[in-house]
Protein backbone atom coordinates (compact mmCIF):
# COMPACT_ATOMS: atom_id res chain seq x y z
CA UNK A 1 0.00 0.00 0.00
CA UNK A 2 1.19 3.43 -1.04
CA UNK A 3 1.26 5.15 2.32
CA UNK A 4 1.27 2.40 4.93
CA UNK A 5 3.02 3.66 8.08
CA UNK A 6 5.13 1.29 10.18
CA UNK A 7 2.32 1.01 12.75
CA UNK A 8 -0.96 2.71 13.68
CA UNK A 9 0.18 4.66 16.72
CA UNK A 10 3.30 6.44 17.94
CA UNK A 11 3.80 6.18 21.69
CA UNK A 12 6.79 6.82 23.94
CA UNK A 13 9.05 7.58 21.00
CA UNK A 14 8.21 4.37 19.14
CA UNK A 15 5.78 2.91 16.64
CA UNK A 16 3.05 1.01 18.45
CA UNK A 17 0.53 -1.54 17.21
CA UNK A 18 -2.42 -3.36 18.70
CA UNK A 19 -4.23 -5.30 16.02
CA UNK A 20 -7.15 -5.92 18.38
CA UNK A 21 -8.35 -2.39 17.50
CA UNK A 22 -11.03 -1.85 14.84
CA UNK A 23 -9.59 -1.65 11.31
CA UNK A 24 -9.39 1.83 9.75
CA UNK A 25 -8.93 1.90 5.99
CA UNK A 26 -7.36 5.07 4.67
CA UNK A 27 -8.33 5.94 1.11
CA UNK A 28 -6.95 8.45 -1.36
CA UNK A 29 -9.95 10.63 -2.27
CA UNK A 30 -8.51 11.20 -5.76
CA UNK A 31 -9.18 7.59 -6.80
CA UNK A 32 -10.72 5.77 -3.83
CA UNK A 33 -7.65 3.52 -3.60
CA UNK A 34 -6.88 2.15 -0.13
CA UNK A 35 -3.46 3.58 0.76
CA UNK A 36 -3.08 2.39 4.35
CA UNK A 37 -4.75 0.11 6.84
CA UNK A 38 -4.57 1.02 10.53
CA UNK A 39 -6.16 -0.02 13.79
CA UNK A 40 -8.09 2.19 16.17
CA UNK A 41 -6.63 2.48 19.64
CA UNK A 42 -7.85 -0.03 22.20
CA UNK A 43 -8.23 1.13 25.83
CA UNK A 44 -4.73 -0.30 26.45
CA UNK A 45 -3.27 1.92 23.70
CA UNK A 46 -5.03 5.02 25.06
CA UNK A 47 -3.68 4.20 28.50
CA UNK A 48 -0.13 3.66 27.23
CA UNK A 49 -0.19 6.98 25.36
CA UNK A 50 -1.40 9.02 28.32
CA UNK A 51 0.99 7.24 30.69
CA UNK A 52 3.91 7.95 28.37
CA UNK A 53 2.95 11.63 28.07
CA UNK A 54 2.58 11.90 31.82
CA UNK A 55 6.02 10.35 32.41
CA UNK A 56 7.75 12.54 29.82
CA UNK A 57 6.10 15.83 30.69
CA UNK A 58 7.87 16.58 33.97
CA UNK A 59 11.41 16.39 32.55
CA UNK A 60 10.36 18.20 29.39
CA UNK A 61 8.93 21.04 31.49
CA UNK A 62 12.15 21.24 33.52
CA UNK A 63 14.26 21.62 30.39
CA UNK A 64 15.54 25.12 29.66
CA UNK A 65 13.00 26.77 27.35
CA UNK A 66 15.62 27.66 24.77
CA UNK A 67 16.57 23.98 24.56
CA UNK A 68 12.95 22.97 23.95
CA UNK A 69 12.82 25.70 21.32
CA UNK A 70 15.96 24.34 19.66
CA UNK A 71 14.38 20.89 19.27
CA UNK A 72 11.23 22.36 17.78
CA UNK A 73 13.37 24.49 15.47
CA UNK A 74 15.20 21.37 14.25
CA UNK A 75 11.82 19.80 13.48
CA UNK A 76 11.01 22.89 11.38
CA UNK A 77 14.15 22.37 9.32
CA UNK A 78 13.30 18.70 8.76
CA UNK A 79 9.75 19.60 7.69
CA UNK A 80 11.03 22.24 5.25
CA UNK A 81 13.72 19.92 3.85
CA UNK A 82 11.11 17.23 3.21
CA UNK A 83 8.45 19.64 1.97
CA UNK A 84 7.76 17.83 -1.29
CA UNK A 85 7.47 14.37 0.30
CA UNK A 86 5.18 15.67 3.07
CA UNK A 87 2.96 17.56 0.62
CA UNK A 88 2.62 14.37 -1.45
CA UNK A 89 1.49 12.42 1.63
CA UNK A 90 -0.94 15.18 2.62
CA UNK A 91 -2.49 15.07 -0.85
CA UNK A 92 -2.86 11.27 -0.62
CA UNK A 93 -4.45 11.61 2.82
CA UNK A 94 -6.85 14.46 1.99
CA UNK A 95 -7.23 14.59 -1.80
CA UNK A 96 -6.33 18.28 -1.79
CA UNK A 97 -4.41 19.50 -4.86
CA UNK A 98 -0.65 19.25 -4.51
CA UNK A 99 -0.41 22.93 -5.43
CA UNK A 100 -2.28 23.64 -2.16
CA UNK A 101 -0.52 21.14 0.11
CA UNK A 102 2.90 22.37 -1.05
CA UNK A 103 2.23 25.92 0.11
CA UNK A 104 -0.48 25.75 2.77
CA UNK A 105 -0.54 22.67 5.00
CA UNK A 106 2.89 21.63 6.33
CA UNK A 107 4.38 25.09 5.58
CA UNK A 108 1.81 26.67 7.90
CA UNK A 109 2.53 23.96 10.49
CA UNK A 110 6.27 24.68 10.23
CA UNK A 111 5.60 28.40 10.72
CA UNK A 112 3.71 27.62 13.95
CA UNK A 113 6.56 25.45 15.28
CA UNK A 114 9.11 28.11 14.37
CA UNK A 115 7.10 30.91 15.98
CA UNK A 116 6.54 29.10 19.29
CA UNK A 117 10.10 27.76 19.35
CA UNK A 118 11.21 31.39 19.44
CA UNK A 119 8.47 32.69 21.69
CA UNK A 120 8.61 30.17 24.54
CA UNK A 121 12.04 31.23 25.88
CA UNK A 122 10.83 34.84 26.14
CA UNK A 123 8.02 34.00 28.57
CA UNK A 124 8.60 35.35 32.03
CA UNK A 125 6.54 36.07 35.11
CA UNK A 126 6.03 39.33 36.98
CA UNK A 127 7.47 40.70 40.19
CA UNK A 128 4.90 42.56 42.26
CA UNK A 129 6.29 44.90 44.92
CA UNK A 130 4.11 44.98 48.07
CA UNK A 131 6.00 47.38 50.33
CA UNK A 132 8.47 45.20 52.23
CA UNK A 133 7.01 41.93 50.97
CA UNK A 134 6.65 41.06 47.33
CA UNK A 135 5.02 38.52 45.09
CA UNK A 136 6.04 36.93 41.83
CA UNK A 137 4.33 34.86 39.22
CA UNK A 138 5.47 31.83 37.27
CA UNK A 139 3.86 30.72 34.04
CA UNK A 140 3.63 26.93 34.26
CA UNK A 141 2.59 24.29 31.74
CA UNK A 142 -0.76 22.56 32.27
CA UNK A 143 0.56 18.97 32.02
CA UNK A 144 -0.77 16.42 29.55
CA UNK A 145 -2.79 18.01 26.73
CA UNK A 146 -4.98 16.13 24.29
CA UNK A 147 -5.29 17.38 20.70
CA UNK A 148 -8.16 16.14 18.54
CA UNK A 149 -8.12 17.04 14.87
CA UNK A 150 -10.49 17.43 11.93
CA UNK A 151 -9.74 15.97 8.50
CA UNK A 152 -9.49 19.09 6.40
CA UNK A 153 -6.02 20.34 7.48
CA UNK A 154 -4.73 17.31 9.40
CA UNK A 155 -1.02 18.11 9.56
CA UNK A 156 -1.48 21.83 10.03
CA UNK A 157 -3.90 21.16 12.89
CA UNK A 158 -1.43 18.76 14.55
CA UNK A 159 1.34 21.40 14.32
CA UNK A 160 -0.89 24.30 15.42
CA UNK A 161 -1.77 22.37 18.57
CA UNK A 162 1.64 20.82 19.26
CA UNK A 163 3.61 24.06 18.83
CA UNK A 164 2.19 26.16 21.70
CA UNK A 165 1.65 23.08 23.89
CA UNK A 166 5.14 21.61 23.62
CA UNK A 167 7.07 24.88 23.55
CA UNK A 168 5.62 25.79 26.95
CA UNK A 169 6.51 22.43 28.54
CA UNK A 170 3.35 20.37 28.11
CA UNK A 171 3.22 16.88 26.63
CA UNK A 172 0.57 15.91 24.09
CA UNK A 173 -1.48 12.96 22.97
CA UNK A 174 -2.89 13.74 19.54
CA UNK A 175 -5.77 11.94 17.85
CA UNK A 176 -6.20 12.79 14.19
CA UNK A 177 -9.50 12.27 12.42
CA UNK A 178 -9.68 8.60 11.43
CA UNK A 179 -10.20 9.81 7.85
CA UNK A 180 -6.76 11.48 7.69
CA UNK A 181 -4.46 9.72 10.16
CA UNK A 182 -1.11 9.87 8.33
CA UNK A 183 0.37 13.36 8.77
CA UNK A 184 0.34 13.35 12.58
CA UNK A 185 2.36 10.10 12.59
CA UNK A 186 4.97 11.81 10.40
CA UNK A 187 5.10 14.71 12.83
CA UNK A 188 5.70 12.34 15.75
CA UNK A 189 8.54 10.68 13.84
CA UNK A 190 10.07 14.03 12.88
CA UNK A 191 10.01 15.25 16.50
CA UNK A 192 12.02 12.19 17.58
CA UNK A 193 14.49 12.76 14.76
CA UNK A 194 14.81 16.38 15.94
CA UNK A 195 15.83 15.18 19.41
CA UNK A 196 12.58 15.42 21.33
CA UNK A 197 12.47 13.09 24.33
CA UNK A 198 10.25 10.01 23.93
CA UNK A 199 6.68 10.47 25.16
CA UNK A 200 6.43 14.24 24.74
CA UNK A 201 4.30 13.88 21.60
CA UNK A 202 2.21 10.74 21.07
CA UNK A 203 -0.30 9.87 18.35
CA UNK A 204 -3.20 7.47 18.71
CA UNK A 205 -5.75 6.62 16.05
CA UNK A 206 -9.46 6.13 16.34
CA UNK A 207 -12.94 7.49 15.96
CA UNK A 208 -14.97 9.62 18.34
CA UNK A 209 -14.92 6.99 21.09
CA UNK A 210 -11.13 7.23 21.31
CA UNK A 211 -11.38 11.04 21.42
CA UNK A 212 -13.94 10.71 24.19
CA UNK A 213 -11.72 8.31 26.18
CA UNK A 214 -8.81 10.75 25.91
CA UNK A 215 -10.81 13.81 26.84
CA UNK A 216 -12.32 12.25 29.97
CA UNK A 217 -9.12 10.71 31.38
CA UNK A 218 -8.32 12.26 34.77
CA UNK A 219 -4.59 12.48 33.90
CA UNK A 220 -5.37 14.94 31.10
CA UNK A 221 -5.30 18.66 31.92
CA UNK A 222 -6.50 20.12 28.63
CA UNK A 223 -8.37 19.22 25.48
CA UNK A 224 -7.95 21.17 22.25
CA UNK A 225 -10.46 20.19 19.59
CA UNK A 226 -10.81 21.19 15.97
CA UNK A 227 -14.12 19.85 14.72
CA UNK A 228 -17.80 20.53 14.29
CA UNK A 229 -20.08 22.38 16.73
CA UNK A 230 -21.98 19.23 17.85
CA UNK A 231 -18.70 17.42 18.63
CA UNK A 232 -17.42 20.56 20.37
CA UNK A 233 -20.44 20.64 22.63
CA UNK A 234 -19.88 17.02 23.65
CA UNK A 235 -16.15 17.40 24.23
CA UNK A 236 -16.57 20.67 26.14
CA UNK A 237 -19.16 19.07 28.42
CA UNK A 238 -16.92 16.04 29.05
CA UNK A 239 -13.95 18.31 29.78
CA UNK A 240 -16.02 20.44 32.16
CA UNK A 241 -16.80 17.39 34.28
CA UNK A 242 -13.06 17.00 34.91
CA UNK A 243 -12.48 20.79 35.21
CA UNK A 244 -10.11 20.60 32.24
CA UNK A 245 -8.95 23.52 30.13
CA UNK A 246 -10.28 23.59 26.58
CA UNK A 247 -9.68 25.19 23.22
CA UNK A 248 -12.53 24.72 20.76
CA UNK A 249 -12.02 25.50 17.07
CA UNK A 250 -15.39 24.65 15.58
CA UNK A 251 -17.49 25.26 12.49
CA UNK A 252 -18.77 28.45 10.91
CA UNK A 253 -21.07 30.13 8.41
CA UNK A 254 -19.04 33.28 8.06
CA UNK A 255 -20.16 36.46 6.29
CA UNK A 256 -18.10 38.20 3.63
CA UNK A 257 -19.56 41.68 3.01
CA UNK A 258 -18.71 43.37 -0.28
CA UNK A 259 -19.60 47.05 -0.63
CA UNK A 260 -20.15 48.62 -4.03
CA UNK A 261 -16.95 50.70 -3.80
CA UNK A 262 -14.78 47.57 -3.39
CA UNK A 263 -12.09 46.60 -5.88
CA UNK A 264 -14.23 44.13 -7.80
CA UNK A 265 -11.48 41.77 -8.99
CA UNK A 266 -10.01 41.50 -5.49
CA UNK A 267 -13.43 40.98 -3.93
CA UNK A 268 -14.26 38.24 -6.42
CA UNK A 269 -10.87 36.60 -5.95
CA UNK A 270 -11.40 36.60 -2.19
CA UNK A 271 -14.94 35.22 -2.47
CA UNK A 272 -13.60 32.38 -4.64
CA UNK A 273 -10.76 31.67 -2.19
CA UNK A 274 -13.29 31.80 0.63
CA UNK A 275 -15.47 29.13 -0.96
CA UNK A 276 -13.45 26.98 -3.35
CA UNK A 277 -9.99 26.53 -1.78
CA UNK A 278 -9.67 22.97 -0.45
CA UNK A 279 -12.95 22.34 -2.30
CA UNK A 280 -14.69 24.51 0.26
CA UNK A 281 -13.71 22.32 3.22
CA UNK A 282 -12.44 25.14 5.43
CA UNK A 283 -13.97 26.15 8.76
CA UNK A 284 -13.44 29.90 8.34
CA UNK A 285 -14.86 30.08 4.81
CA UNK A 286 -16.93 33.13 3.93
CA UNK A 287 -19.89 31.14 2.70
CA UNK A 288 -22.45 33.92 3.02
CA UNK A 289 -21.29 36.49 0.49
CA UNK A 290 -23.29 39.71 0.99
CA UNK A 291 -22.98 41.89 -2.14
CA UNK A 292 -24.31 45.44 -2.24
CA UNK A 293 -27.11 45.77 -4.80
CA UNK A 294 -25.37 48.32 -7.05
CA UNK A 295 -22.66 45.85 -8.13
CA UNK A 296 -24.55 42.59 -7.77
CA UNK A 297 -25.06 41.64 -11.43
CA UNK A 298 -21.54 42.74 -12.47
CA UNK A 299 -20.16 40.76 -9.53
CA UNK A 300 -22.10 37.64 -10.48
CA UNK A 301 -21.22 37.79 -14.18
CA UNK A 302 -17.49 38.13 -13.55
CA UNK A 303 -17.60 35.56 -10.72
CA UNK A 304 -19.22 33.01 -13.06
CA UNK A 305 -16.62 33.77 -15.73
CA UNK A 306 -13.68 33.29 -13.33
CA UNK A 307 -15.22 30.22 -11.68
CA UNK A 308 -15.57 28.65 -15.13
CA UNK A 309 -11.76 28.69 -15.50
CA UNK A 310 -11.03 26.69 -12.32
CA UNK A 311 -9.08 23.59 -13.28
CA UNK A 312 -10.42 20.49 -11.51
CA UNK A 313 -8.62 17.17 -11.85
CA UNK A 314 -6.01 14.78 -10.52
CA UNK A 315 -4.88 16.22 -7.17
CA UNK A 316 -1.31 15.02 -7.78
CA UNK A 317 -1.04 16.98 -11.04
CA UNK A 318 0.68 20.31 -10.21
CA UNK A 319 -1.65 22.13 -12.64
CA UNK A 320 -4.81 21.04 -10.77
CA UNK A 321 -6.49 23.81 -8.79
CA UNK A 322 -9.50 21.98 -7.45
CA UNK A 323 -9.78 18.47 -6.02
CA UNK A 324 -12.41 16.04 -4.78
CA UNK A 325 -14.26 16.11 -1.48
CA UNK A 326 -12.86 13.99 1.31
CA UNK A 327 -15.37 11.09 1.44
CA UNK A 328 -18.48 9.70 -0.20
CA UNK A 329 -20.50 10.79 2.89
CA UNK A 330 -19.30 14.35 2.48
CA UNK A 331 -20.18 14.20 -1.23
CA UNK A 332 -23.72 13.07 -0.44
CA UNK A 333 -24.05 15.82 2.15
CA UNK A 334 -22.83 18.60 -0.15
CA UNK A 335 -24.98 17.41 -3.07
CA UNK A 336 -28.02 17.38 -0.79
CA UNK A 337 -27.35 21.01 0.16
CA UNK A 338 -27.12 21.91 -3.52
CA UNK A 339 -30.47 20.20 -4.08
CA UNK A 340 -31.91 22.15 -1.14
CA UNK A 341 -30.63 25.42 -2.63
CA UNK A 342 -32.44 24.70 -5.88
CA UNK A 343 -35.57 23.49 -4.10
CA UNK A 344 -35.79 26.56 -1.88
CA UNK A 345 -35.57 28.90 -4.87
CA UNK A 346 -31.99 30.18 -4.96
CA UNK A 347 -30.77 31.14 -8.46
CA UNK A 348 -28.02 28.81 -9.69
CA UNK A 349 -25.28 30.89 -11.34
CA UNK A 350 -22.78 28.13 -12.04
CA UNK A 351 -21.93 24.57 -11.03
CA UNK A 352 -24.70 22.76 -9.19
CA UNK A 353 -23.76 19.21 -10.16
CA UNK A 354 -21.26 16.48 -9.35
CA UNK A 355 -17.98 16.84 -11.21
CA UNK A 356 -16.99 14.26 -13.80
CA UNK A 357 -13.30 14.08 -12.78
CA UNK A 358 -14.00 11.33 -10.23
CA UNK A 359 -16.68 10.05 -7.86
CA UNK A 360 -15.98 12.58 -5.11
CA UNK A 361 -15.92 15.75 -7.20
CA UNK A 362 -18.51 18.53 -6.93
CA UNK A 363 -18.46 21.48 -9.32
CA UNK A 364 -17.65 24.86 -7.79
CA UNK A 365 -21.17 26.16 -7.26
CA UNK A 366 -22.59 29.67 -6.88
CA UNK A 367 -26.15 30.47 -5.85
CA UNK A 368 -27.51 34.04 -6.05
CA UNK A 369 -30.68 35.61 -4.63
CA UNK A 370 -30.14 33.59 -1.48
CA UNK A 371 -32.25 34.75 1.45
CA UNK A 372 -31.33 34.61 5.12
CA UNK A 373 -33.79 31.84 5.92
CA UNK A 374 -32.67 29.39 3.22
CA UNK A 375 -30.93 26.27 4.47
CA UNK A 376 -27.80 27.03 2.41
CA UNK A 377 -27.51 30.39 4.21
CA UNK A 378 -27.91 28.91 7.68
CA UNK A 379 -26.03 25.61 7.85
CA UNK A 380 -22.35 24.83 7.41
CA UNK A 381 -22.04 22.90 4.12
CA UNK A 382 -18.27 22.30 4.12
CA UNK A 383 -18.13 22.06 0.34
CA UNK A 384 -17.66 24.35 -2.69
CA UNK A 385 -21.03 26.07 -2.47
CA UNK A 386 -21.15 29.88 -2.37
CA UNK A 387 -24.35 31.64 -1.33
CA UNK A 388 -24.61 35.23 -2.62
CA UNK A 389 -27.07 37.43 -0.75
CA UNK A 390 -27.71 41.06 -1.65
CA UNK A 391 -28.08 44.03 0.66
CA UNK A 392 -28.64 47.79 0.51
CA UNK A 393 -27.33 49.46 3.67
CA UNK A 394 -24.42 49.00 6.02
CA UNK A 395 -26.71 48.57 9.04
CA UNK A 396 -28.73 45.92 7.28
CA UNK A 397 -25.61 43.96 6.26
CA UNK A 398 -24.25 44.00 9.82
CA UNK A 399 -27.52 42.86 11.39
CA UNK A 400 -27.99 40.04 8.89
CA UNK A 401 -24.34 38.96 9.06
CA UNK A 402 -24.67 38.59 12.84
CA UNK A 403 -27.93 36.65 12.66
CA UNK A 404 -26.34 33.23 13.17
CA UNK A 405 -25.24 30.98 16.01
CA UNK A 406 -21.74 30.86 14.48
CA UNK A 407 -18.98 33.41 15.06
CA UNK A 408 -15.74 32.11 13.61
CA UNK A 409 -14.78 34.58 10.90
CA UNK A 410 -15.94 37.61 8.88
CA UNK A 411 -14.65 39.77 6.06
CA UNK A 412 -15.37 43.18 4.57
CA UNK A 413 -14.37 44.57 1.18
CA UNK A 414 -14.57 48.33 0.71
CA UNK A 415 -12.42 51.19 -0.54
CA UNK A 416 -13.59 53.23 2.47
CA UNK A 417 -11.26 52.09 5.23
CA UNK A 418 -13.16 53.98 7.91
CA UNK A 419 -16.22 51.95 6.96
CA UNK A 420 -14.16 48.78 6.89
CA UNK A 421 -13.09 49.26 10.50
CA UNK A 422 -16.54 50.44 11.59
CA UNK A 423 -18.26 47.38 10.13
CA UNK A 424 -15.69 44.88 11.39
CA UNK A 425 -16.02 46.46 14.83
CA UNK A 426 -19.68 45.42 14.89
CA UNK A 427 -19.38 41.91 13.46
CA UNK A 428 -19.63 39.03 15.93
CA UNK A 429 -16.64 36.98 14.83
CA UNK A 430 -13.28 35.99 16.28
CA UNK A 431 -11.14 36.24 13.15
CA UNK A 432 -11.74 39.07 10.67
CA UNK A 433 -10.28 40.49 7.48
CA UNK A 434 -10.58 43.84 5.73
CA UNK A 435 -9.86 43.64 1.98
CA UNK A 436 -8.46 40.10 2.37
CA UNK A 437 -9.86 36.70 3.31
CA UNK A 438 -8.73 33.46 4.96
CA UNK A 439 -5.14 34.53 5.58
CA UNK A 440 -4.09 33.02 8.91
CA UNK A 441 -0.47 33.93 9.65
CA UNK A 442 0.86 32.43 12.87
CA UNK A 443 1.55 35.91 14.25
CA UNK A 444 -2.23 36.62 14.36
CA UNK A 445 -4.61 35.02 16.89
CA UNK A 446 -7.06 32.59 15.29
CA UNK A 447 -10.31 31.63 16.98
CA UNK A 448 -14.00 32.14 17.38
CA UNK A 449 -16.86 33.62 19.38
CA UNK A 450 -20.40 32.31 19.95
CA UNK A 451 -21.05 28.65 19.07
CA UNK A 452 -17.93 28.47 16.88
CA UNK A 453 -15.67 27.96 19.84
CA UNK A 454 -13.39 29.46 22.44
CA UNK A 455 -9.72 29.92 23.12
CA UNK A 456 -7.22 31.06 20.51
CA UNK A 457 -4.64 29.28 18.42
CA UNK A 458 -1.47 30.89 17.06
CA UNK A 459 0.18 34.13 18.25
CA UNK A 460 1.02 35.12 21.81
CA UNK A 461 -2.65 34.59 22.67
CA UNK A 462 -2.24 30.78 22.45
CA UNK A 463 0.24 30.86 25.33
CA UNK A 464 -2.61 31.80 27.68
CA UNK A 465 -4.38 28.60 26.69
CA UNK A 466 -1.48 26.22 27.34
CA UNK A 467 -0.12 27.66 30.59
CA UNK A 468 -1.38 28.66 34.00
CA UNK A 469 -0.12 31.33 36.37
CA UNK A 470 1.22 30.47 39.80
CA UNK A 471 1.38 33.37 42.27
CA UNK A 472 3.99 33.28 45.01
CA UNK A 473 3.79 35.68 47.98
CA UNK A 474 7.13 36.22 49.73
CA UNK A 475 7.05 37.44 53.32
CA UNK A 476 10.20 39.43 54.17
CA UNK A 477 9.52 40.09 57.86
CA UNK A 478 7.94 38.55 60.92
CA UNK A 479 4.37 37.26 60.51
CA UNK A 480 1.81 39.72 61.86
CA UNK A 481 -0.76 37.38 63.45
CA UNK A 482 -3.73 38.27 65.68
CA UNK A 483 -3.38 34.95 67.55
P1 LIG B 1 -16.00 16.23 13.72
O1 LIG B 1 -16.57 17.14 14.73
O2 LIG B 1 -16.83 15.17 13.16
O3 LIG B 1 -14.69 15.52 14.31
C1 LIG B 1 -13.61 16.24 14.85
C2 LIG B 1 -12.72 15.30 15.65
O4 LIG B 1 -13.38 14.95 16.89
C3 LIG B 1 -12.45 13.98 14.95
O5 LIG B 1 -11.13 13.56 15.23
C4 LIG B 1 -13.48 13.08 15.57
O6 LIG B 1 -13.15 11.73 15.42
C5 LIG B 1 -13.45 13.54 17.01
N1 LIG B 1 -14.62 13.21 17.80
C6 LIG B 1 -15.87 12.89 17.38
N2 LIG B 1 -16.70 12.67 18.45
C7 LIG B 1 -15.94 12.85 19.57
C8 LIG B 1 -16.21 12.79 20.99
N3 LIG B 1 -17.41 12.49 21.47
N4 LIG B 1 -15.18 13.04 21.84
C9 LIG B 1 -13.96 13.37 21.38
N5 LIG B 1 -13.65 13.44 20.05
C10 LIG B 1 -14.62 13.19 19.16
O7 LIG B 1 -15.42 17.18 12.56
P2 LIG B 1 -14.83 16.77 11.15
O8 LIG B 1 -13.63 15.91 11.32
O9 LIG B 1 -15.96 16.27 10.30
O10 LIG B 1 -14.32 18.19 10.60
C11 LIG B 1 -15.15 19.13 10.03
C12 LIG B 1 -15.57 20.17 11.04
O11 LIG B 1 -14.43 20.74 11.65
C13 LIG B 1 -16.33 21.32 10.42
O12 LIG B 1 -17.43 21.68 11.21
C14 LIG B 1 -15.30 22.43 10.43
O13 LIG B 1 -15.86 23.72 10.42
C15 LIG B 1 -14.54 22.15 11.66
N6 LIG B 1 -13.21 22.78 11.58
C16 LIG B 1 -12.94 23.84 12.39
C17 LIG B 1 -11.73 24.50 12.28
C18 LIG B 1 -11.40 25.66 13.17
O14 LIG B 1 -10.22 25.92 13.34
N7 LIG B 1 -12.35 26.39 13.73
C19 LIG B 1 -10.72 24.09 11.29
C20 LIG B 1 -11.10 22.92 10.56
C21 LIG B 1 -12.32 22.31 10.69
P3 LIG B 1 -13.71 10.95 14.14
O15 LIG B 1 -13.52 11.79 12.95
O16 LIG B 1 -12.85 9.77 14.10
O17 LIG B 1 -15.15 10.70 14.44
Amino acid sequence: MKAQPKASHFIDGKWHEDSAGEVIEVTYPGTGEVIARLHAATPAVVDAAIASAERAQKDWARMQPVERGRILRRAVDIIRDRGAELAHLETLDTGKPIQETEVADWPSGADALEYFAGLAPTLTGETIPLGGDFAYTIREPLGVCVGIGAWNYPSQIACWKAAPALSTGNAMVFKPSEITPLGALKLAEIFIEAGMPAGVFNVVQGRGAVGAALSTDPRVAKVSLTGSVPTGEKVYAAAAAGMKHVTMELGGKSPLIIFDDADLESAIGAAMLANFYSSGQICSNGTRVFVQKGIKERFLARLAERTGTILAGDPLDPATQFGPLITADQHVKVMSYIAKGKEEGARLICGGAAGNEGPLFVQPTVFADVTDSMTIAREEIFGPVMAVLDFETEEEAIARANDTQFGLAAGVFTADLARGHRVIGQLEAGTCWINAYNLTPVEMPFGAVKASGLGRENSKAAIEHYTQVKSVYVGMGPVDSPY
Side-chain angles (χ1 to χ4, degrees):
M1 261 173 294
K2 265 192 189 133
Q4 182 68 34
K6 288 184 190 137
S8 301
H9 319 287
F10 200 96
I11 296 173
D12 207 16
K14 296 184 287 292
W15 293 97
H16 189 105
E17 194 56 273
D18 181 350
S19 53
E22 175 202 359
V23 172
I24 296 173
E25 286 203 329
V26 189
T27 55
Y28 169 45
T31 59
E33 177 188 349
V34 176
I35 55 168
R37 195 164 281 121
L38 308 179
H39 293 275
T42 56
V45 170
V46 169
D47 181 64
I50 297 176
S52 118
E54 199 182 29
R55 265 194 314 273
Q57 191 266 328
K58 304 247 167 356
D59 286 344
W60 177 245
R62 271 195 288 268
M63 196 182 265
Q64 199 182 335
V66 77
E67 238 181 292
R68 286 200 300 267
R70 201 173 300 131
I71 292 168
L72 292 172
R73 189 65 188 75
R74 264 187 237 125
V76 172
D77 290 340
I78 298 170
I79 291 170
R80 296 223 170 99
D81 286 349
R82 297 202 198 140
E85 171 210 329
L86 293 171
H88 184 85
L89 183 67
E90 195 76 351
T91 287
L92 289 180
D93 214 9
T94 62
K96 294 196 288 182
I98 192 91
Q99 66 163 243
E100 285 191 19
T101 55
E102 275 180 349
V103 299
D105 296 73
W106 279 100
S108 155
D111 281 357
L113 292 165
E114 184 168 23
Y115 178 87
F116 286 102
L119 183 62
T122 71
L123 296 177
T124 54
E126 285 186 289
T127 309
I128 304 156
L130 298 167
D133 294 351
F134 67 98
Y136 64 91
T137 60
I138 312 171
R139 196 162 272 286
E140 296 183 332
L142 303 175
V144 176
C145 300
V146 161
I148 302 177
W151 44 258
N152 61 339
Y153 276 80
S155 300
Q156 184 205 65
I157 290 170
C159 292
W160 279 24
K161 294 190 189 308
L166 305 191
S167 66
T168 49
N170 300 283
M172 177 163 269
V173 179
F174 187 82
K175 188 201 85 67
S177 164
E178 93 282 356
I179 297 168
T180 53
L182 303 177
L185 289 171
K186 276 281 169 211
L187 182 63
E189 207 182 14
I190 287 169
F191 279 152
I192 292 296
E193 197 181 327
M196 189 175 285
V200 171
F201 184 77
N202 308 274
V203 176
V204 298
Q205 309 293 350
R207 298 175 196 278
V210 172
L214 290 168
S215 42
T216 49
D217 191 286
R219 292 166 289 180
V220 168
K222 157 151 193 147
V223 185
S224 175
L225 170 81
T226 297
S228 62
V229 172
T231 303
E233 288 167 353
K234 277 190 238 162
V235 175
Y236 192 13
M243 208 57 81
K244 299 182 199 312
H245 299 253
V246 293
T247 296
M248 294 281 145
E249 293 291 355
L250 310 176
K253 191 76 198 173
S254 302
L256 169 56
I257 304 176
I258 298 169
F259 285 95
D260 56 15
D261 62 350
D263 178 301
L264 199 63
E265 283 303 308
S266 287
I268 290 169
M272 291 171 73
L273 270 173
N275 282 274
F276 303 145
Y277 204 67
S278 297
S279 297
Q281 302 166 120
I282 299 184
C283 52
S284 50
N285 270 356
T287 47
R288 289 184 296 146
V289 180
F290 290 90
V291 179
Q292 205 162 18
K293 271 205 173 127
I295 53 163
K296 174 185 160 186
E297 291 308 328
R298 261 192 312 141
F299 178 91
L300 289 172
R302 183 70 181 126
L303 172 64
E305 195 181 339
R306 285 181 62 179
T307 301
T309 68
I310 293 176
L311 191 62
D314 173 6
L316 288 168
D317 179 345
T320 295
Q321 298 170 314
F322 187 85
L325 296 182
I326 187 86
T327 57
D329 283 353
Q330 192 65 14
H331 193 267
V332 168
K333 183 177 153 201
V334 172
M335 290 308 296
S336 77
Y337 275 112
I338 291 175
K340 264 260 185 272
K342 293 175 183 166
E343 218 174 278
E344 292 181 5
R347 172 163 57 116
L348 186 66
I349 299 295
C350 55
N356 50 21
E357 298 80 8
L360 300 186
F361 280 78
V362 171
Q363 294 174 350
T365 296
V366 177
F367 281 108
D369 303 341
V370 177
T371 61
D372 297 343
S373 59
M374 287 182 187
T375 310
I376 58 167
R378 302 218 66 83
E379 296 181 13
E380 185 184 45
I381 300 174
F382 228 56
V385 183
M386 186 191 309
V388 178
L389 305 93
D390 35 76
F391 73 97
E392 284 180 40
T393 68
E394 184 178 314
E395 297 69 31
E396 175 203 343
I398 294 166
R400 290 171 56 201
N402 286 338
D403 181 21
T404 169
Q405 59 155 337
F406 297 111
L408 179 52
V412 175
F413 270 78
T414 176
D416 177 352
L417 272 183
R419 170 159 67 185
H421 292 292
R422 187 169 65 235
V423 171
I424 283 291
Q426 295 172 79
L427 292 178
E428 295 163 0
T431 307
C432 300
W433 295 274
I434 298 175
N435 293 336
Y437 204 85
N438 258 355
L439 300 175
T440 56
V442 65
E443 297 87 345
M444 180 174 108
F446 180 81
V449 301
K450 294 163 76 178
S452 293
L454 58 145
R456 291 293 176 270
E457 297 201 298
N458 289 342
S459 81
K460 291 182 206 143
I463 297 294
E464 295 289 330
H465 301 285
Y466 282 97
T467 57
Q468 55 202 351
V469 172
K470 176 180 276 176
S471 300
V472 183
Y473 186 107
V474 183
M476 297 293 284
V479 172
D480 182 13
S481 166
Y483 310 111

